[in-house]
RNA sequence: GCGAGAGUGGCGGAAUUGGUAGACGCGCUGGACUUAGGAUCCAGUCCUGAAAGGGGUGGGGGUUCGAGUCCCCCCUUUCGCACCA
């Protein structure tokens, strides 16, 4: 299959790839300088990997995209930082340890070895001297340092609260790790539990995390939208309702103050704290308790099912609407979320679909206070669903007639002036729960002292080393809790006996700052050098999968903002540009998985067809942001291109060692030469733009066209001929680096092609001396005419008028006007 | 339900952002060279039509000299969130 016919040399990719990988390594070609010039650097980051031991098509695609960009930036003369590392803490290592009776670190380190050497075979231009491994103490020392900084600034705190509990993994999960009520990792239904744990106050950053998205034009809209929705900022009014016959107030949050005269009941979440403070008669208290039990037994999914019939129980108590003094029933209902707002809502059945369903079920009155518009009243008896749009207020006292924003404004201001309400901003985003009751993670650097409370481990005592343990079997509490040598310590403040926190940190903490450690990975006295941060940051391009849109990609922005606030860095946003590559599916559009047996290994392909051909095939099959349905057909076209055109092209090289910066004068070239010279420059332009937009499929297509049109036999000028050969090789180099290096060397260059200058196009040669003008009559194409470049409108019109095809549509008709687009098109508009 | 995308040949996909739709590649058809071809080369390949021409970018309207591209209404589809009051 790989036997070329036109080439008299076999394309011995195995030899070529090994040779160049070795040479790159020896020459330290990819080692980034410690402190680049800020205006001439490029930080190319790909999401680091969990070391599972194999590199699959998804990794392959991710890293070759980053590689193509990094290598091209090298050719553009930038100081390039292109590092890699391993997100090495996490559950699979514990699993494997339990199954095979080896230590998680051993399993992890072995996998890293295997994966690293695979990546080296892919020829990715990583600077391995900056590799980070998050489970090694020299890294997690600084993860703990980050925790301590957060703690010292009040951004890390411990509280008891309802948490997501995965019964399979036996650990707490952050909200971001729960998808559709299930553990993102193992798919088990998540349970609610009331438990003590550590949190990061990411909610303090909610406004900035939302607002600053607008300063990121280089981020895809869909990711920004997803983050905004996840953070879920909403503006509204908090109103106090007195609970009749008690001194208690019930505060509620609403985004629709304009419906407040339509409140006909109130609803409290069964988990809301206020419920405990309500004096209930024994009869009602028992009913409420029973309902609470029932609600607690329902999974999140059951409770969230939108179609689920709302249910609840009456508390026997009444609340008073401060706007009109009306007395309404106070219910407990589990469609109200405990964790949002105040855990209680004012219910306006006429204008909220959930309240509507509830009111219908329990026969609670429905009161219309908004009309669709002034002339279209709503009839309560005919309503089959709530009317939730905006419209003029009715039955609302002095507010009648106000509508929309101004209505909300008027009601809010009134409440504020009377002192029973205040404007408020609420977020869906919750504080980030980071305690994990598992072994294989970074220990939380906190000491609990019965006298002094929670004390951060002094920075000079970091890292808190993860001890060896006998048993990683998950029991629902951290394995470290059973290691007295670890647990027992002394209080750093009073010196008395104290205990370490037994929990470890969510691995997303480790990955929230790894991009900074790359700047200065060996630093033993600081997480990274501030000057290196100034020079290298922000990340110029961050490439990874879309799956991290509302997890990692929010967390690392949060860390960045925190570190800026405490003076470690001087920028607000970590990454200027974000690119999400598409997934790699099998030929039928199914996700590749071991259980389906449809996994295609990039390694096998690289071995049978060559790494560069495999890389080109991945680039060429689909644009990088779209999903790829991978089949072996993907290889056919690019393989022919490499074997029949690209690899043999070097035979056409005449050894002229041309000045690659020289531009030719079109007048000095003959017709064949001129046309290929124009093609060359058009190609350089197209390819450069394609790389800039990461349209690597289009970049390959353009080079294919050039090499197809290139016919050395028809070119007299050796310098021109050789420019075409060499620039074609340069243009393909970032995508097929081994092949390009080999050809470049064959042409006589001693230095790596990645030290050569990326070709620039001759602006005077992107259009030829004769150009084609489309001639339309009434917008329909009738002919294409050749005119000298630079012709004015009059001469183009004259040439068009001479065309018989055009004449056929114009003769005898009145010409109304002519639209001329210079160098492209002439449209003759005729009557009739 | 809410939100954000996407619909272009048999297939993957191009189209300088309002200016010659279908680049490049796969597949397919025919031919050349061959003992052979699953190699290579040449030609063809949106539909219709003998041709001239006509039609054509999910469907329907609109703006414009000109719309795949902009606007409105549908349809299909992918992804995300999912009782957030």
């Amino acid at each position: 299959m790989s036997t070329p016919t036109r080439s008299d040399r076999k394309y011995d990719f195995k030899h070529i790839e090994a040779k160049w990988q070795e040479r790159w390594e020896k020459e330290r070609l990819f080692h980034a300088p410690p402190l680049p010039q800020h205006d001439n650097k490029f930080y190319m980051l790909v999401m680091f990997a969990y070391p599972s031991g194999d590199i699959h098509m998804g990794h392959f695609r991710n890293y070759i995209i980053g590689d193509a960009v990094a290598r091209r930036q090298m050719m553009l003369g930038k100081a390039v930082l292109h590092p890699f590392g391993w997100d090495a803490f996490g559950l699979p290592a514990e699993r494997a340890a339990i199954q095979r009776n080896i230590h998680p670190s051993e399993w992890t380190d072995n996998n890293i070895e295997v994966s690293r050497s695979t990546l080296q075979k892919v020829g990715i231009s990583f600077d391995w001297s900056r590799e980070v491994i998050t489970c090694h103490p020299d890294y997690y020392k600084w993860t703990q340092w980050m925790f301590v900084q957060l703690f010292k600034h009040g951004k890390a705190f411990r509280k008891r609260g309802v948490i997501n509990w995965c019964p399979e993994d036996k650990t707490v999960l952050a909200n971001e790790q729960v998808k559709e009520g299930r553990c993102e990792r193992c798919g088990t239904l998540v349970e609610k539990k009331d438990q003590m744990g550590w949190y990061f106050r990411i909610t303090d950053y909610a406004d900035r995390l939302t607002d600053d998205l607008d300063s990121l034009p280089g981020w895809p809209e869909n990711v920004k939208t997803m983050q905004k929705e996840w953070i879920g900022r909403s503006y509204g009014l908090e109103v106090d309702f007195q609970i009749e016959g008690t001194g208690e107030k019930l505060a509620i949050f609403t985004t629709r103050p304009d419906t407040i005269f339509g409140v006909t009941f109130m609803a409290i979440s069964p988990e809301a704290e206020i419920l405990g403070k309500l004096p209930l008669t024994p009869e009602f208290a028992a009913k409420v308790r029973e309902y609470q039990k029932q609600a607690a037994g329902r999974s999140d999914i059951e409770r969230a099912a939108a179609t689920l019939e709302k249910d609840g129980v009456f508390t026997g108590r009444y609340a008073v609407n401060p706007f009109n003094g009306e007395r309404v029933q106070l219910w407990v209902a589990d469609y109200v979320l405990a964790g949002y707002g105040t855990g209680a809502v004012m219910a306006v059945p006429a204008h909220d679909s959930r309240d509507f369903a509830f009111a219908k079920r329990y026969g609670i009155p429905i009161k219309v206070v908004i009309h669709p518009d002034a002339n279209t009243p709503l009839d309560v008896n005919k309503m089959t669903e709530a009317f939730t749009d905006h419209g003029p207020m009715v039955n609302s006292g002095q507010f009648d007639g106000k509508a929309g924003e101004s209505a909300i404004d008027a009601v809010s201001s009134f409440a504020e002036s009377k002192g029973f309400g205040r404007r408020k901003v609420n977020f869906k985003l919750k504080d980030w729960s980071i305690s994990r009751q598992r072994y294989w993670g970074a220990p939380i650097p906190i000491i609990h002292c019965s006298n002094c409370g929670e004390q951060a481990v002094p920075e000079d005592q970091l890292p808190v080393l993860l001890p060896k343990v006998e048993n990683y079997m998950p029991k629902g509490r951290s394995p470290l809790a059973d290691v007295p040598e670890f647990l027992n310590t002394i209080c750093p403040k009073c010196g008395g006996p104290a205990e370490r926190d037994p929990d470890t940190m969510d691995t997303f903490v480790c990955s929230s700052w790894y991009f900074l450690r790359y700047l200065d990975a060996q630093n033993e006295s600081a997480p990274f050098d501030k000057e290196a941060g100034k020079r290298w940051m922000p990340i110029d391009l961050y490439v990874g999968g879309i799956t991290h849109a509302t997890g990692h990609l929010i967390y690392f922005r949060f860390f960045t903002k925190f570190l800026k606030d405490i003076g470690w860095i001087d920028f607000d946003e970590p990454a200027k540009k974000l690119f999400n590559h598409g997934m790699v599916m099998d030929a039928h559009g199914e996700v590749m998985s071991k259980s389906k047996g449809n996994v295609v290994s990039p390694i096998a392909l690289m071995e049978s067809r060559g790494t560069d051909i495999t890389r080109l095939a991945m680039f060429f099959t689909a644009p990088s942001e779209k999903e790829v349905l991978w089949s072996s057909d993907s290889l056919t076209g690019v393989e022919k291109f490499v074997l029949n055109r690209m690899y043999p092209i070097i035979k056409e090289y005449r050894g002229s060692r041309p000045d690659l910066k020289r531009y030719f004068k079109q007048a000095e070239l003959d017709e064949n030469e001129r046309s290929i010279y124009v093609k060359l420059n058009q190609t350089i332009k197209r390819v450069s733009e394609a790389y800039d937009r990461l349209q690597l499929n289009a970049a390959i297509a353009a080079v294919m066209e050039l090499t197809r049109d290139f016919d050395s036999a028809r070119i007299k000028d050796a310098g021109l001929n050789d420019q075409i050969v060499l620039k074609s090789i340069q243009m393909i180099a970032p995508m097929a680096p081994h092949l390009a290096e080999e050809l470049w060397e064959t042409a006589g260059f001693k230095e790596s092609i990645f030290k050569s200058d990326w070709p620039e196009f001759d602006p005077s040669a992107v259009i030829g001396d004769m150009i084609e003008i489309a001639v339309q009559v009434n917008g329909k194409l009738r002919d294409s005419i050749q005119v000298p470049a630079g012709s004015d409108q009059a001469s183009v019109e004259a040439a068009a008028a001479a065309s018989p095809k055009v004449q056929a549509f114009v003769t005898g008709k009145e010409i109304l006007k002519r639209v001329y687009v210079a160098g492209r098109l002439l449209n003759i508009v005729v009557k009739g």
Side-chain angles (χ1 to χ4, degrees):
Chain A
M1 199 66 192
S2 60
T3 308
T5 55
R6 242 173 62 170
S7 168
D8 44 15
R9 296 175 310 144
K10 190 172 182 287
Y11 172 51
D12 184 356
F13 59 81
K14 283 195 177 153
H15 168 75
I16 292 171
E17 286 162 13
K19 167 181 163 186
W20 288 101
Q21 284 164 15
E22 200 176 301
R23 195 168 303 178
W24 293 333
E25 172 67 29
K26 205 177 95 202
E27 292 176 2
R28 306 175 136 247
L29 187 63
F30 309 127
H31 281 226
L35 296 173
Q37 293 302 312
H38 184 71
D39 57 4
N40 193 44
K41 62 89 186 178
F42 196 93
Y43 186 175
M44 173 66 239
L45 184 66
V46 291
M47 288 182 185
F48 67 172
Y50 183 79
S52 59
D54 63 341
I55 294 296
H56 56 66
M57 277 292 184
H59 294 124
F60 178 79
R61 190 178 195 196
N62 190 159
Y63 306 146
I64 62 174
I65 293 168
D67 191 49
V69 172
R71 289 177 184 269
R72 173 155 179 272
Q73 291 296 330
M74 286 178 74
M75 295 173 78
L76 288 171
K78 297 282 175 65
V80 172
L81 174 59
H82 186 208
F84 197 67
W86 306 96
D87 189 13
F89 273 133
L91 281 181
E94 279 183 56
R95 290 255 155 98
I98 292 163
Q99 278 168 11
R100 299 167 205 201
N101 199 27
I102 54 171
H103 193 271
S105 69
E106 197 185 324
W107 184 84
T108 304
D109 288 343
N110 287 342
N111 283 347
I112 289 175
E113 289 296 321
V114 173
S115 297
R116 187 196 294 121
S117 81
T118 306
L119 286 180
Q120 282 163 345
K121 286 192 186 112
V122 183
I124 309 289
S125 59
F126 290 135
D127 178 354
W128 287 103
S129 73
R130 293 166 181 263
E131 181 183 38
V132 304
I133 299 175
T134 61
C135 67
H136 286 185
D138 58 1
Y139 183 88
Y140 71 70
K141 168 180 179 174
W142 299 108
T143 304
Q144 291 171 336
W145 181 92
M146 295 284 166
F147 182 101
V148 171
Q149 307 311 309
L150 285 157
F151 179 72
K152 284 183 175 166
H153 290 86
K155 303 299 183 195
F157 67 103
R158 204 160 81 118
K159 70 167 183 188
R160 174 165 285 284
V162 178
I163 47 84
N164 307 299
W165 180 261
C166 174
E168 172 69 22
D169 291 340
K170 296 204 167 48
T171 186
V172 170
L173 302 173
N175 286 339
E176 288 76 11
Q177 288 152 17
V178 180
K179 305 282 168 191
E180 295 182 356
R182 292 171 182 277
C183 171
E184 180 182 41
R185 223 190 57 74
C186 67
T188 310
L189 274 179
V190 167
E191 295 169 359
K192 293 285 171 200
K193 250 179 143 174
D194 195 43
Q195 188 163 307
M196 204 69 167
W198 285 94
Y199 293 79
F200 287 164
R201 244 183 251 286
I202 192 170
T203 52
D204 280 1
Y205 291 82
D207 274 314
R208 283 161 71 188
L209 287 168
T210 295
D211 293 336
D212 291 353
L213 287 171
D214 296 333
S215 70
L216 294 175
W219 279 45
E221 280 308 317
N222 62 338
V223 172
K224 290 194 277 189
T225 306
M226 281 163 71
Q227 292 206 352
K228 277 189 182 165
E229 285 179 2
W230 185 263
I231 295 165
R233 179 166 62 189
S234 57
Y235 297 94
L237 183 70
E238 200 170 84
V239 185
D240 299 323
F241 282 63
Q242 292 291 336
I243 297 171
E244 195 184 66
T246 76
E248 293 291 336
K249 277 192 283 192
L250 180 62
I252 55 88
F253 174 75
T254 178
T255 54
R256 290 297 302 274
D258 57 329
T259 66
I260 201 159
F261 286 81
V263 174
T264 56
F265 68 102
M266 307 284 287
I268 306 179
S269 164
E271 288 94 10
E273 278 178 33
I274 179 92
L275 206 46
K277 296 188 201 157
L278 286 183
L280 301 182
T281 64
E283 179 201 355
F284 281 109
K287 281 188 181 162
V288 168
R289 265 200 307 278
E290 193 193 328
Y291 182 73
Q292 283 176 307
K293 249 171 85 181
Q294 181 195 326
R298 289 182 187 169
S299 74
D300 258 18
I301 291 218
E302 287 168 319
R303 283 175 66 159
T307 52
L308 187 76
E309 259 208 74
K310 314 282 179 236
D311 64 15
V313 290
F314 179 44
T315 61
R317 287 282 167 191
Y318 291 82
V320 179
N321 187 335
F323 277 82
N324 55 11
E326 272 177 26
R327 152 179 204 274
V328 294
Q329 294 184 337
L330 187 52
W331 286 67
V332 177
D334 74 351
Y335 76 89
V336 181
L337 302 176
Y340 183 79
T342 62
V345 299
M346 66 179 207
V348 185
H351 307 293
D352 181 285
S353 48
R354 297 153 299 186
D355 300 342
F356 186 87
F358 195 89
K360 280 283 181 196
R361 170 159 180 174
Y362 292 105
I364 298 170
I366 297 171
K367 183 183 168 194
V368 169
V369 292
I370 301 283
H371 281 173
D373 61 66
N375 306 316
T376 323
L378 275 181
D379 181 350
V380 178
N381 301 315
K382 289 182 184 156
M383 284 176 81
T384 55
E385 57 179 12
F387 174 75
T388 57
D389 290 347
H390 287 281
M393 293 172 71
V394 294
N395 301 323
S396 300
Q398 78 257 41
F399 300 104
D400 280 359
K402 293 193 185 298
E405 282 306 313
S406 74
I408 289 170
D409 220 46
V411 173
S412 301
S413 295
F414 181 77
E416 283 183 332
S417 72
K418 295 287 178 189
F420 55 71
R422 56 244 147 230
R423 285 185 170 84
K424 193 150 189 232
V425 183
N426 252 316
F427 296 93
K428 291 190 208 174
L429 184 73
K430 304 281 193 302
D431 280 326
W432 175 12
S433 157
I434 60 114
S435 295
R436 297 293 177 270
Q437 293 68 42
R438 298 294 302 236
Y439 171 71
W440 194 232
I444 290 175
I446 287 289
I447 291 167
H448 299 280
C449 171
S450 49
N451 293 324
C452 313
E454 292 154 357
Q455 295 295 317
V457 174
E459 289 176 29
D460 61 6
Q461 289 174 31
L462 295 177
V464 177
L465 286 172
L466 198 53
K468 298 261 175 193
V469 298
E470 294 301 313
N471 189 352
Y472 321 108
M473 208 53 115
K475 284 170 281 202
R477 59 177 177 150
S478 173
L480 299 184
D482 298 326
V483 184
E485 313 87 87
F486 172 82
L487 216 58
N488 296 324
T489 185
I490 53 163
C491 171
K493 193 173 177 192
C494 70
E499 281 197 350
R500 292 189 188 281
D501 197 284
D503 285 352
T504 53
M505 284 186 248
D506 181 3
T507 55
F508 278 105
V509 179
C510 309
S511 57
S512 289
W513 73 282
Y514 76 110
F515 57 99
L516 293 166
R517 185 64 181 171
Y518 284 142
L519 308 181
D520 192 14
Q522 317 295 335
N523 197 324
E524 289 178 9
S525 58
F528 59 93
D529 175 49
K530 286 184 181 176
E531 185 59 25
K534 281 205 177 94
R535 301 286 190 91
W536 279 116
M537 290 297 291
I539 297 157
D540 292 276
L541 175 64
Y542 194 14
V543 177
I546 185 76
T547 46
H548 295 105
T550 55
H552 164 67
L553 291 174
I554 291 182
Y555 297 146
F556 94 130
R557 294 181 59 225
F558 158 57
F559 260 64
T560 301
K561 290 177 191 306
F562 170 71
L563 289 170
K564 186 190 180 202
D565 289 352
I566 63 168
W568 267 84
I569 52 180
D570 57 1
F571 46 91
D572 285 291
E573 285 291 338
K576 270 198 273 195
K577 185 169 168 154
L578 175 72
F579 184 82
N580 299 119
H581 65 262
M583 298 219 291
V584 183
M585 324 285 261
D586 75 2
H588 309 288
E590 302 258 14
V591 178
M592 289 186 185
S593 73
K594 280 180 189 159
S595 55
K596 285 187 188 144
N598 61 350
V599 175
V600 179
S601 160
I603 300 144
L605 277 168
M606 279 158 41
E607 280 171 4
S608 65
R609 307 296 195 90
T611 297
D612 286 337
I613 286 175
T614 309
R615 290 170 56 127
L616 288 170
M618 183 59 88
F619 289 132
F620 190 62
T621 302
S624 301
E625 71 280 5
K626 288 193 68 172
E627 69 180 28
V628 157
L629 304 191
W630 184 264
S631 82
S632 53
D633 293 346
S634 305
L635 284 157
T636 312
V638 291
E639 185 165 57
K640 283 198 227 171
F641 166 65
V642 168
L643 298 181
N644 302 328
R645 292 205 197 283
M646 209 60 229
Y647 189 65
I649 202 172
I650 197 63
K651 286 191 304 170
E652 313 299 343
Y653 185 65
R654 298 185 196 158
S656 70
R657 295 303 297 265
D659 174 5
L660 290 170
K661 306 252 188 230
R662 178 187 165 200
Y663 294 155
F664 290 83
K665 292 204 169 60
Q666 291 197 42
E668 294 167 356
L669 301 172
D670 71 23
E671 201 185 320
N672 287 324
E673 291 173 328
R674 208 181 301 130
S675 114
I676 194 71
Y677 182 61
V678 168
K679 183 74 181 179
L680 170 68
N681 285 290
Q682 287 173 336
T683 305
I684 294 170
K685 185 165 189 281
R686 276 173 71 190
V687 170
S688 300
E689 288 167 357
Y691 271 103
D692 287 339
R693 287 184 240 153
L694 258 64
Q695 293 178 336
L696 301 175
N697 55 332
I700 295 170
V703 179
M704 282 175 165
E705 281 186 51
L706 176 64
T707 56
R708 175 200 64 192
D709 291 353
F710 173 51
D711 182 355
S712 187
R714 302 172 73 178
I715 300 175
K716 292 201 280 282
D717 189 305
L720 173 60
N721 181 81
D722 287 355
Q723 269 209 12
I724 296 168
V725 172
L726 296 175
K727 289 181 177 176
S728 299
I729 297 168
Q730 287 181 304
M731 284 189 276
I732 211 74
M735 294 184 280
H738 313 85
L739 171 69
E741 287 276 36
E742 183 70 14
L743 298 176
W744 193 246
E745 187 192 49
T746 308
F749 291 92
K750 297 283 178 257
E751 270 207 323
S752 166
I753 193 170
F754 299 104
K755 291 191 171 175
S756 72
D757 292 332
W758 181 257
E760 286 179 31
F761 64 87
D762 175 353
S764 70
V766 288
I767 45 171
D769 56 341
M770 291 294 282
I771 55 173
E772 201 178 64
I773 301 284
V775 183
Q776 299 179 334
V777 178
N778 287 350
K780 289 195 188 218
L781 182 69
R782 293 307 177 190
D783 199 5
S784 271
I785 57 173
Q786 298 285 329
V787 299
S791 297
D792 60 7
Q793 180 169 355
S795 46
V796 171
E797 283 175 12
S803 157
K805 290 184 187 172
V806 174
Q807 283 166 6
F809 290 91
V810 174
T811 307
K813 291 182 178 157
E814 184 191 346
I815 294 177
L816 297 176
K817 70 166 161 177
R818 298 181 179 84
V819 181
Y820 179 60
V821 183
R824 298 189 134 302
L825 166 145
L826 175 70
N827 187 14
I828 302 168
V829 185
V830 299
K831 197 174 182 180

